[in-house]
Amino acid sequence: MEPTQVAIIGSGLIGRSWAMVFASRGFKVKLYDIAQQQLTTALENIRKQMKELEESGFLKGTLSAEKQLSFISVYTDLKAAVEGAAFIQECTPENLELKKKIFSQLDLIVDDYVILSSSTSCLLPSKLFTGLKHVKQCIVSHPVNPPYFVPLVEIVPHPETSPSVTERTYGLMRMIGQSPVRLNREIEGFVLNRLQYAVISEAWRLVGEGVISPTDLDIVMTDGLGMRYAFIGPLETMHLNAEGISNYCERYREGMKLVLNTFGPVPEFSGETEQKISQAMSRKVPAVPKHLDARREWRDECLTLLAKLKKQMKSN
């Protein structure tokens, strides 16, 4: 059974983006939040984004913005919001007790078929779902912010999650145009954040130790590693930078170990280095809403163009 109706719990940035993704594929979306004003603001934001994407030629799907908007309805009553939904995506703030409360409420009103999914970026499924009657139907579907522009979704099961729920979730994410990956078991930070934090940690140490400036550090990624990693991952990079993985390891294992053994402890992410990086970033993009929003809009435009290029290259 393929779901035609989904419920999104929470109308913030992630919830709005999920709603747009599902609507772009013709799903009926029931968007829930606790206050009508939040939902009104969310719909206004979604309408504005969809119209701008349509005008620029980057709206997802084959349906018009108006048609996609017609698929989204809003609710302040949780039971009414999830009624008839085969898939529920929770998008509330990253607070364990709040999320557990939401899932406890959902546990009381859903049937034995619906999938209960969370957008959490770091809370383990065992902490979120243990003790729920419908625990076998629970899973984490962690998107990358913003999911409308970045397709990756990490699918992380609870130890008791039914394998069929994992497969159905994976299939649904593929159906709506996302790029899902399955984690075989839960782990702190999942995979994306573990990789991201490893990069951030070393970047912080290099700046803190005076090896490189914050601005030049970012250039190493944007004009170096990032250009490669937009199309091939680190393991394929190894494969292509030698005559296969085994040859790469033969050539470079000792050098890699030598460098890795010089890495320092986990930074505190505070103090002088924090001030140094903050000042450098604020000179580039002042830390006020007007400038941050403009830069985010530019970022999203870049991500849209990159996604279009990647799609063209795959079709070739």
Side-chain angles (χ1 to χ4, degrees):
M1 177 181 174
E2 294 181 353
T4 57
Q5 186 166 273
V6 300
I8 308 295
I9 310 302
S11 63
L13 176 63
I14 299 298
R16 296 195 301 264
S17 201
W18 271 122
M20 291 170 63
V21 170
F22 278 106
S24 73
R25 300 292 169 155
F27 284 77
K28 293 179 180 178
V29 179
K30 302 173 83 173
L31 184 60
Y32 165 85
D33 217 312
I34 56 175
Q36 184 60 48
Q37 184 55 51
Q38 290 173 249
L39 291 166
T40 300
T41 300
L43 276 182
E44 290 172 352
N45 179 276
I46 290 170
R47 180 175 289 104
K48 179 175 181 290
Q49 283 194 72
M50 282 188 173
K51 290 294 185 182
E52 290 174 351
L53 288 164
E54 187 172 49
E55 289 170 4
S56 62
F58 292 126
L59 184 70
K60 287 189 174 185
T62 58
L63 303 171
S64 69
E66 281 300 325
K67 186 63 176 178
Q68 292 184 29
L69 281 165
S70 72
F71 291 139
I72 303 174
S73 53
V74 297
Y75 295 81
T76 55
D77 181 272
L78 185 61
K79 187 173 182 179
V82 303
E83 185 177 0
F87 184 84
I88 300 171
Q89 184 72 22
E90 172 272 322
C91 307
T92 59
E94 198 74 352
N95 177 286
L96 177 60
E97 293 309 314
L98 174 61
K99 288 182 182 291
K100 287 177 67 175
K101 180 181 178 182
I102 289 290
F103 280 105
S104 294
Q105 293 172 338
L106 291 170
D107 197 37
L108 297 174
I109 56 179
V110 299
D111 59 26
D112 293 335
Y113 181 81
V114 65
I115 294 174
L116 296 171
S117 176
S118 175
S119 295
T120 181
S121 61
C122 63
L123 298 175
L124 295 176
S126 58
K127 293 182 179 179
L128 275 178
F129 307 132
T130 296
L132 296 179
K133 181 175 65 173
H134 294 94
V135 64
K136 292 183 178 180
Q137 298 159 230
C138 295
I139 201 160
V140 166
S141 303
H142 170 225
V144 183
N145 184 21
Y148 191 86
F149 301 104
V150 185
L152 178 72
V153 180
E154 293 182 291
I155 297 175
V156 190
H158 182 280
E160 295 182 57
T161 298
S162 167
S164 66
V165 167
T166 302
E167 292 308 308
R168 285 165 56 202
T169 303
Y170 182 89
L172 178 60
M173 292 299 117
R174 290 289 300 269
M175 190 190 308
I176 61 175
Q178 301 302 92
S179 297
V181 294
R182 304 178 188 88
L183 272 66
N184 297 320
R185 62 179 177 86
E186 65 177 22
I187 186 172
E188 294 284 356
F190 310 146
V191 173
L192 183 139
N193 277 328
R194 290 180 76 89
L195 292 174
Q196 177 173 236
Y197 294 164
V199 171
I200 289 173
S201 180
E202 182 57 14
W204 199 275
R205 283 192 293 262
L206 289 168
V207 171
E209 293 171 6
V211 174
I212 192 169
S213 72
T215 302
D216 281 353
L217 186 288
D218 273 359
I219 291 173
V220 170
M221 183 61 72
T222 59
D223 289 358
L225 290 174
M227 294 187 72
R228 213 159 42 190
Y229 288 169
F231 298 94
I232 59 174
L235 301 181
E236 187 177 353
T237 295
M238 293 170 67
H239 193 62
L240 298 181
N241 280 359
E243 304 308 309
I245 288 288
S246 295
N247 182 250
Y248 187 97
C249 292
E250 182 182 346
R251 290 187 192 180
Y252 302 116
R253 67 164 59 95
E254 295 306 320
M256 286 192 292
K257 288 160 61 178
L258 179 67
V259 172
L260 288 167
N261 282 326
T262 69
F263 281 27
V266 175
E268 292 297 326
F269 300 106
S270 60
E272 290 183 15
T273 305
E274 178 189 356
Q275 292 300 314
K276 186 177 183 179
I277 294 175
S278 177
Q279 289 169 8
M281 294 301 102
S282 294
R283 281 194 295 270
K284 184 175 183 179
V285 183
V288 294
K290 177 182 177 181
H291 293 282
L292 291 171
D293 288 344
R295 189 65 171 175
R296 291 181 187 121
E297 187 174 332
W298 173 84
R299 174 203 64 190
D300 292 348
E301 289 174 0
C302 292
L303 290 171
T304 302
L305 290 167
L306 179 59
K308 186 176 182 179
L309 175 61
K310 292 185 69 169
K311 185 175 181 181
Q312 289 173 346
M313 294 186 71
K314 285 181 179 179
S315 64
N316 292 337

